[in-house]
Amino acid sequence: MKIIGEALNNIPWQEKPEDLKGAPVWRYSENPIIDRNPVENVARIFNSAVMPYEGKFVGVFRGEQVNGVPYIYLGHSEDGIHWNIDKEKIHFVDESGNDFMPKYAYDPRLVKVDDIYYIIWCTDFYGAAIGLARTTDFKTFIRMENPFIPFNRNAVLFPRKINGNFVMLSRPSDSGHTPFGDIFLSESPDMTYWGKHRHVMGKGKEWWECVKIGGGAAPIETDEGWLMFYHGVSGTCNGFVYSIGGAILDINNPSIVKYRCENFLLTPEKWYEERGFVPNVCFPCATLHDAVTGKIAIYYGAADSYVGLAFTQLDEVVSYIKEHSVLTQEDTEIGIR
Ligand code: BMA
């Protein structure tokens, strides 16, 4: 099996511990990689996305300010593990260079398509909706049109155009702590006008994803299809539990799910996942991956309080997803009614 993409020989990495033989994904032993109060005026950083940049790493981080309002902060790292987070939040401008700051911004994703870096987040657009900005230098951040009307969350861009169009996953929702949710995709020729909406997959039959699901990391292109790490949510008498799931989407027609793993790949079990501002949350937002070795590093928010890092290997995770794949008709259909 092959990742279609670039080599990343400085990807953060740790071999799988002996005692985790059957597990497809394993945690970094020094987690969490970002602890509480990481910079002045920011109480918690979690649900954040990173990318390789100029031989090092860059990231957009969800920072919960000390007044409780979430914003996006820029961070840099030499090794993908130790991060220097800016004290000032990212300053957005509109196409004419005027200030264009959202009221709040959370759960950012960072995806490069054709040499432009896009930041996608949950913004206030008279209710929770998707915000979008672009940068080429991580100095000027230009806000673009909000792609969808409210309410919507968990938008993730594919890292290349498919059949000539940009493709974005998202999860239409309600204005609160949505008790439902499926993953949809939309296409755009220009990142302004979005349409050709398709249903990708619904909440799962298995307990860990039986309430709602949402996009996680930008899908990884492989010779088996788009490898997608997403989050699945279940309900308990004490609230939601967020786990990480895996699926593989058709390469030319990603609203078709080829394989969908009935087991979670990672579920809250460590103290930093089970205990925090919101307990029992593993919320993936990005991966780094190396096309030469098939190593994959998954960045995830833990308990709405920390950033965690986990690892897997392409052959291993794809084989696991295929071995445990259960599909419904909604998964395999094109997703239009
Ligand atoms: C979701 C989002 C995420 C958060 C999760 C758990 O609705 O708000 O940012 O991690 O809830 O609280």
Side-chain angles (χ1 to χ4, degrees):
M1 292 173 204
K2 252 191 3 217
I3 290 178
I4 299 163
E6 289 170 18
L8 187 64
N9 53 18
N10 58 343
I11 186 171
W13 186 250
Q14 222 172 32
E15 293 299 332
K16 175 148 69 162
E18 276 298 309
D19 57 339
L20 279 183
K21 272 279 168 270
V25 170
W26 55 98
R27 295 167 176 83
Y28 177 50
S29 60
E30 306 308 309
N31 271 352
I33 58 167
I34 303 182
D35 209 339
R36 288 188 184 232
N37 303 303
V39 278
E40 225 177 288
N41 295 321
V42 176
R44 294 171 280 122
I45 280 187
F46 53 102
N47 301 2
S48 302
V50 307
M51 282 220 70
Y53 184 63
E54 296 184 338
K56 298 175 186 170
F57 301 95
V58 70
V60 290
F61 294 85
R62 171 177 177 164
E64 225 76 351
Q65 303 175 103
V66 289
N67 61 5
V69 179
Y71 244 101
I72 310 174
Y73 291 76
L74 190 68
H76 291 90
S77 174
E78 301 266 326
D79 60 5
I81 292 175
H82 302 91
W83 287 89
N84 289 316
I85 313 283
D86 287 0
K87 275 198 199 133
E88 297 300 325
K89 50 198 179 211
I90 288 182
H91 195 99
F92 295 101
V93 294
D94 66 16
E95 302 279 354
S96 324
N98 301 317
D99 275 9
F100 192 22
M101 292 295 274
K103 202 157 117 191
Y104 59 69
Y106 64 81
D107 298 354
R109 313 306 205 275
L110 178 63
V111 185
K112 185 180 171 202
V113 189
D114 295 342
D115 293 329
I116 297 181
Y117 295 85
Y118 294 94
I119 305 175
I120 313 115
W121 69 91
C122 182
T123 204
D124 174 52
F125 179 38
Y126 304 87
I130 306 304
L132 192 60
R134 65 170 191 271
T135 184
T136 46
D137 56 7
F138 291 95
K139 291 188 177 83
T140 305
F141 297 87
I142 300 170
R143 261 197 81 184
M144 302 162 66
E145 294 285 343
N146 296 329
F148 311 127
I149 57 172
F151 304 102
N152 203 320
R153 292 188 179 85
N154 299 306
V156 184
L157 201 58
F158 282 71
R160 69 162 168 83
K161 292 179 186 165
I162 303 172
N163 306 318
N165 284 335
F166 293 94
V167 181
M168 181 126 71
L169 298 171
S170 76
R171 212 277 310 283
S173 60
D174 70 12
S175 57
H177 300 289
T178 315
F180 62 88
D182 294 359
I183 299 178
F184 289 78
L185 68 72
S186 310
E187 294 186 23
S188 173
D190 55 6
M191 291 291 278
T192 300
Y193 296 98
W194 293 88
K196 281 184 97 176
H197 312 290
R198 300 285 182 268
H199 183 266
V200 179
M201 51 196 248
K203 65 185 184 185
K205 282 205 298 290
E206 303 307 324
W207 181 81
W208 65 272
E209 55 170 350
C210 69
V211 173
K212 55 179 171 175
I213 57 173
I220 301 173
E221 186 168 7
T222 79
D223 55 357
E224 292 276 341
W226 294 102
L227 170 59
M228 178 175 78
F229 296 105
Y230 64 101
H231 70 258
V233 182
S234 64
T236 71
C237 62
N238 258 341
F240 291 149
V241 176
Y242 284 70
S243 304
I244 303 179
I248 296 170
L249 313 179
D250 186 86
I251 207 78
N252 295 318
N253 226 328
S255 70
I256 296 173
V257 183
K258 284 176 67 184
Y259 306 100
R260 175 175 183 172
C261 190
E262 65 172 336
N263 300 338
F264 54 72
L265 301 179
L266 200 83
T267 200
E269 21 184 83
K270 295 289 181 189
W271 65 264
Y272 50 87
E273 298 160 350
E274 289 183 335
R275 206 166 71 221
F277 192 76
V278 179
N280 298 315
V281 180
C282 291
F283 195 93
C285 289
T287 64
L288 296 173
H289 40 271
D290 175 21
V292 175
T293 59
K295 290 175 180 172
I296 300 172
I298 304 170
Y299 288 75
Y300 65 103
D304 287 11
S305 301
Y306 312 99
V307 175
L309 177 59
F311 304 107
T312 188
Q313 218 278 337
L314 182 73
D315 293 352
E316 191 162 350
V317 77
V318 170
S319 306
Y320 188 88
I321 292 171
K322 287 169 82 167
E323 225 168 276
H324 299 279
S325 177
V326 177
L327 294 169
T328 63
Q329 199 204 318
E330 283 200 349
D331 294 330
T332 51
E333 66 194 13
I334 202 95
I336 183 166
R337 277 180 191 157

